[in-house]
Amino acid sequence: MKTTETSPAGTAEPLPHEVKAGLPGAGPGKGGGRGRGRVLNAFSHGVLVLWAFMVVMPLLWAVMTSFKDDNAIFSSPWSLPDRIHFENWSRAWSQAHMSDYFLNTVLVVAGSLAGTLLLGSMAAYVLARFDFPGNRFLYFLFIGG
């Protein structure tokens, strides 16, 4: 069932949903003000694009380099590989003992995940059910962590 709201009889003021919300400078007596929001929006988008570039480029470089032979890595580090060398991956797995490092990572992550889920759920129960001094402080510490 859809309901509609109407202005009370005899009033000329628009209802809250009739006012153009979200437009800077839309209210009475307000001059422009739109330029400042666009500048901040462009600045924040510029910072986000720069941050994304700084995060993605090393990852792309590492993946691209992993398919090159040893001479190409040092002679032209930013070029695309001439030929894809999958033997680098098998050599890293066997000669550099990446399998041991991978197993260590899996064990540490699994243990950390189990501990975090167990202790975090118990702490969440206590923080949600009981009021005590420092409750909000501990809550924000958990959120910050």
Side-chain angles (χ1 to χ4, degrees):
M1 170 165 49
K2 186 175 179 182
T3 61
T4 59
E5 297 178 23
T6 58
S7 298
T11 63
E13 295 181 22
L15 292 172
H17 68 277
E18 295 174 338
V19 176
K20 292 181 181 178
L23 295 177
K30 307 244 179 174
R34 291 179 130 181
R36 182 174 164 201
R38 286 185 180 168
V39 169
L40 288 177
N41 196 13
F43 177 73
S44 64
H45 279 84
V47 169
L48 289 174
V49 166
L50 180 66
W51 184 259
F53 183 78
M54 288 176 21
V55 169
V56 170
M57 280 308 294
L59 180 64
L60 287 177
W61 180 78
V63 170
M64 187 174 59
T65 304
S66 71
F67 291 113
K68 294 181 181 181
D69 63 344
D70 293 340
N71 293 331
I73 291 173
F74 295 111
S75 65
S76 56
W78 289 104
S79 67
L80 291 172
D82 296 333
R83 190 174 70 84
I84 295 178
H85 297 274
F86 287 108
E87 62 268 9
N88 294 343
W89 290 72
S90 63
R91 192 175 70 187
W93 192 261
S94 60
Q95 292 178 2
H97 306 290
M98 291 297 285
S99 58
D100 296 339
Y101 301 135
F102 184 73
L103 179 64
N104 288 343
T105 300
V106 167
L107 293 175
V108 168
V109 167
S112 299
L113 181 66
T116 300
L117 284 174
L118 180 69
L119 295 176
S121 60
M122 289 191 293
Y125 179 81
V126 169
L127 289 173
R129 290 291 186 171
F130 302 110
D131 289 324
F132 55 89
N135 185 354
R136 300 312 283 164
F137 178 71
L138 283 176
Y139 170 75
F140 287 120
L141 279 180
F142 272 100
I143 295 296

